Amino acid sequence: MKKVQLGLLAKLDIRWNRKSVKSAESGREVLADGRVKYWIRHDTIKGVFPKMLVWWFQHLEGDIEYEGKIYNRYHVWHPEDHVHVSYEKRKPDGSVGPGAVLRIVEYLGRKKNYLVNVVSPIEKLDEEGFIHNPKLYGFLPIARMEYSFKESAEGTRYENCLIVGWKGFSFKLLRPIFEFLFFDNQHGFYWIKHNIEEVGQFESFLPDLYRKENENLR
């Protein structure tokens, strides 16, 4: 993995649409293959449509003008927890989609023991949803992120989940130890909280950003 900023950033003092955990349905379940699934059905993201979400995940790098100032756009997406995002690898034509690889650094709940520092190959990215597969230390495939987008009159019905672990008997056997050492229920709660907050924040900046950066394409 390329060397990037890992330390916590100062909180951005900006307006943001910080939705509460209670604004969404969420939960935890153990799958038949032994993996653990944390899931969220978000409140409708008003004014944000699937084509905007696809565009956003293809354009995570760079800055944004927000409330009259210039900020890193990934930091605006979550003003407290986000540290770094980049494309570790793009498709041969320079675009972002299946085959590209994300590099993500963030702290769930700003807690130093809940550091996310992964590379994550993109498996799917279209108006139906987004799937990527985080690898710890760049090579250990221990998680799967699945997103579903459904357009509505108001915006997007957005669901997503984090599936922790690997398929096979070994994880079923080791799951209690794995959860104790690496990803317990409290860690899962902070992932849910973080995700609800960042998804709600889309309403504050994404429609304007999408219009500004795509106005010449009409």
Side-chain angles (χ1 to χ4, degrees):
M1 293 191 295
K2 298 175 184 176
K3 188 174 181 179
V4 300
Q5 165 75 35
L6 291 181
L8 273 167
L9 301 178
K11 296 180 183 180
L12 289 186
D13 184 19
I14 60 172
R15 171 183 56 85
W16 64 305
N17 190 36
R18 188 173 192 163
K19 292 187 177 181
S20 71
V21 172
K22 292 181 180 179
S23 72
E25 297 178 58
S26 62
R28 172 191 178 275
E29 61 184 274
V30 178
L31 302 179
D33 62 17
R35 294 178 299 166
V36 181
K37 178 179 178 179
Y38 293 90
W39 58 268
I40 309 169
R41 286 192 286 271
H42 297 266
D43 188 20
T44 298
I45 317 173
K46 295 180 175 63
V48 177
F49 296 92
K51 66 179 180 181
M52 297 179 184
L53 293 166
V54 174
W55 177 88
W56 168 251
F57 289 115
Q58 293 172 328
H59 297 85
L60 289 167
E61 296 175 333
D63 294 333
I64 178 177
E65 183 179 346
Y66 189 74
E67 298 184 329
K69 294 183 180 180
I70 303 299
Y71 301 102
N72 175 273
R73 64 179 63 187
Y74 187 63
H75 203 182
V76 168
W77 190 21
H78 198 298
E80 295 186 355
D81 295 357
H82 282 175
V83 175
H84 171 90
V85 72
S86 59
Y87 298 107
E88 188 90 352
K89 176 185 173 184
R90 291 175 177 263
K91 295 174 67 175
D93 64 0
S95 65
V96 174
V101 179
L102 287 165
R103 175 72 188 279
I104 301 167
V105 181
E106 59 192 19
Y107 290 83
L108 305 179
R110 293 185 67 81
K111 295 184 176 296
K112 292 187 177 180
N113 55 326
Y114 293 163
L115 167 65
V116 176
N117 178 21
V118 297
V119 297
S120 194
I122 296 172
E123 178 180 322
K124 172 186 173 74
L125 180 56
D126 57 36
E127 292 189 24
E128 292 183 349
F130 179 35
I131 299 173
H132 62 99
N133 297 279
K135 293 184 178 181
L136 188 64
Y137 308 122
F139 66 92
L140 292 174
I142 61 163
R144 179 175 176 84
M145 300 278 289
E146 298 179 350
Y147 306 63
S148 170
F149 311 143
K150 293 183 180 178
E151 187 165 336
S152 70
E154 292 183 298
T156 300
R157 294 192 297 273
Y158 188 114
E159 299 182 11
N160 64 327
C161 68
L162 167 65
I163 302 173
V164 180
W166 57 90
K167 294 181 180 180
F169 180 75
S170 62
F171 188 74
K172 284 186 177 182
L173 187 66
L174 296 172
R175 179 171 57 81
I177 298 171
F178 180 89
E179 289 191 291
F180 177 76
L181 293 176
F182 300 110
F183 208 98
D184 61 9
N185 292 354
Q186 185 76 349
H187 199 154
F189 167 80
Y190 275 99
W191 175 82
I192 288 171
K193 178 177 181 290
H194 168 92
N195 208 271
I196 291 171
E197 291 171 347
E198 69 179 9
V199 170
Q201 176 69 341
F202 278 136
E203 295 179 356
S204 297
F205 75 89
L206 186 53
D208 285 344
L209 178 65
Y210 181 83
R211 281 191 291 269
K212 286 178 182 177
E213 297 207 4
N214 291 278
E215 60 185 357
N216 294 329
L217 302 179
R218 296 175 183 175

